[in-house]
Amino acid sequence: MSHFEKDAVISGLGISRIGRRTGIPGVDLTLEAARAAIEDAGLTADDIDGIATFGDTPPAEVSSALGIQSTDVSSGFDTGGVLIPVMSAFRAVSERRVRHVLVYRTVAMLGGAMTNQPASPMLNPLASPPVEPHIPGTRRKLKPFEDIDELVAAHSYSAANWLAMHCRRHMELYGTTKEQLGWLAINSRRNAGLNPRAAYREPMTMYDYLAARPVSTPFGLFDCDVPIDGSIALVVSHSDYTADCPSPAVKVEAIGGAFGSGGWFHRDDFPKMASVEAANEMWSRTDLTPSDVNVAELYDGFTYLTFAWLEALGFCADGEAGPFVDGAARIALDGTLPLNTYGGQLSAGRMHGYWLVHEACLQLRGQAGDRQLARRPEVAVAAAGGGPIAGCMLLTS
């Protein structure tokens, strides 16, 4: 088994201004984050020879703006979901095709659309996955997104609907409660209060959570992530740069990814998702175990996705994510498994998993400011995705 990720380090971190309906062009946000990450890595634009991104500001546009000659290495590890560009960068530096890769994710809420209306609390549904043509009268194994036809026919138009069905099944099987979902949202908001970049920082009570308008049963407004404008950038370097890196380099211990796994619903073990296979692959590539992890940054596009990751990664048994987060003591900054320490996508904002990686690195470096864990962590996990796509990585200081 090739453990190519061990040849890589995350040497630089950058983050742009974050806001809601800012009107700032995506390329401007991208360049803010990119330049900050390159400087943080102790490099110049001329040192960057690779670039990778997840479907936003085109790499050619960024390379031109920075004045660099770079190879696009966005693909190469094909089963990491939204984290494919990061994992592909690990492979690229390991294979010595490049030495320093700029990786970035830039988002603009509502597709960057600007209106004269004030910001709305309404959340923008996620874009639908690609739909393959339906062939009437045939019986064949479903591919990852073929069940979208069935979902649309049932008036299930967004990921909120799809994941709500997973959550309801979990509730029926294990007795998971709405209040347990609420403790996750409350903990995230509490952490966001310590993060000056977070979209929402006002304290949240259980009453606030339960009183929020419904979105798709059992999800309410505060079970859903917050659309924002912003950019996150990382510099991935070969591990031979570690000694020269002015900031503490974050080591990559193991990665895992999965794509397909029965689509959204066609699994014998529903409501499990691809996070199970991704986590299994990651743990198979390391001698570390869940008990070694000091901080977890887990995808929370919807509250239930974090529950799924807690179970898939082995922090608790199947069906026990609800009791695990109940009361938010275990997952608090001073708990046994601090969770989504920057506020997560539920309160800080939706960056499709890249803010999770950024925060994990900050915590390992001891640079997370007011939300820095009292005991600097040595092992962190970052995980992103849901349904039929998932990726996760184990990082160490």
Side-chain angles (χ1 to χ4, degrees):
M1 180 187 297
S2 171
H3 293 239
F4 61 85
E5 64 269 31
K6 295 181 186 292
D7 293 329
V9 296
I10 297 175
S11 59
L13 303 174
I15 185 170
S16 73
R17 290 167 288 174
I18 302 291
R20 287 173 55 78
R21 288 185 175 164
T22 63
I24 303 170
V27 66
D28 291 352
L29 295 172
T30 303
L31 293 174
E32 283 183 20
R35 287 172 175 139
I38 293 168
E39 181 180 2
D40 184 57
L43 302 171
T44 68
D46 290 339
D47 296 311
I48 303 299
D49 50 2
I51 194 165
T53 187
F54 181 69
D56 34 44
T57 312
E61 187 174 354
V62 175
S63 295
S64 176
L66 292 174
I68 61 177
Q69 297 292 323
S70 59
T71 301
D72 189 343
V73 296
S74 296
S75 61
F77 184 86
D78 296 329
T79 58
V82 296
L83 297 179
I84 283 174
V86 187
M87 297 179 182
S88 296
F90 297 160
R91 183 187 290 276
V93 298
S94 175
E95 294 175 353
R96 300 283 186 173
R97 290 184 280 125
V98 291
R99 188 162 187 242
H100 301 291
V101 181
L102 173 67
V103 187
Y104 63 91
R105 174 61 175 156
T106 304
V107 298
M109 62 181 293
L110 305 180
M114 292 297 297
T115 71
N116 293 323
Q117 301 299 318
S120 166
M122 294 285 288
L123 296 186
N124 184 35
L126 294 179
S128 296
V131 180
E132 294 193 82
H134 176 64
I135 304 176
T138 60
R139 289 181 177 273
R140 53 195 172 84
K141 186 176 180 181
L142 289 167
K143 295 180 181 179
F145 295 124
E146 266 185 307
D147 46 10
I148 299 302
D149 285 338
E150 302 168 24
L151 292 170
V152 174
H155 302 286
S156 180
Y157 298 117
S158 83
N161 307 129
W162 313 335
L163 274 304
M165 286 188 269
H166 283 77
C167 189
R168 290 183 68 177
R169 180 60 175 162
H170 199 272
M171 288 174 159
E172 292 172 7
L173 287 175
Y174 305 116
T176 307
T177 68
K178 175 76 171 171
E179 286 78 7
Q180 288 168 341
L181 295 173
W183 280 115
L184 180 64
I186 291 167
N187 181 72
S188 293
R189 182 61 63 86
R190 182 170 56 197
N191 294 343
L194 300 173
N195 180 0
R197 294 183 187 268
Y200 291 130
R201 303 179 63 197
E202 303 80 6
M204 180 194 298
T205 66
M206 184 62 75
Y207 176 83
D208 296 328
Y209 169 80
L210 294 173
R213 68 170 179 81
V215 173
S216 184
T217 304
F219 295 151
L221 183 66
F222 297 134
D223 291 290
C224 308
D225 60 12
V226 181
I228 56 171
D229 301 336
S231 183
I232 299 282
L234 314 169
V235 175
V236 172
S237 300
H238 193 278
S239 58
D240 65 11
Y241 182 64
T242 300
D244 297 321
C245 188
S247 299
V250 172
K251 300 177 183 178
V252 186
E253 172 66 21
I255 61 174
F259 176 80
S261 307
W264 280 93
F265 302 107
H266 298 276
R267 292 182 63 119
D268 293 337
D269 58 358
F270 179 82
K272 290 185 179 181
M273 293 177 275
S275 46
V276 173
E277 288 77 26
N280 289 343
E281 181 178 37
M282 185 188 77
W283 292 124
S284 75
R285 299 170 72 88
T286 178
D287 292 328
L288 298 178
T289 69
S291 63
D292 294 309
V293 175
N294 308 126
V295 61
E297 310 293 346
L298 307 181
Y299 200 68
D300 57 346
F302 302 95
T303 46
Y304 175 71
L305 285 171
T306 308
F307 279 34
W309 275 113
L310 285 168
E311 294 176 9
L313 287 163
F315 294 121
C316 57
D318 289 350
E320 293 184 1
F324 187 88
V325 306
D326 206 353
R330 287 188 184 92
I331 60 175
L333 294 181
D334 59 354
T336 55
L337 185 69
L339 179 61
N340 295 351
T341 51
Y342 70 103
Q345 300 195 154
L346 295 175
S347 286
R350 179 200 298 160
M351 288 296 305
H352 296 140
Y354 283 69
W355 208 339
L356 298 168
V357 179
H358 184 276
E359 176 71 8
C361 292
L362 284 182
Q363 289 288 345
L364 291 170
R365 286 177 165 194
Q367 296 174 349
D370 291 342
R371 62 189 185 276
Q372 178 65 47
L373 302 183
R375 182 177 179 182
R376 180 175 163 183
E378 297 179 354
V379 181
V381 65
I389 56 172
C392 52
M393 60 183 71
L394 203 61
L395 305 172
T396 65
S397 57

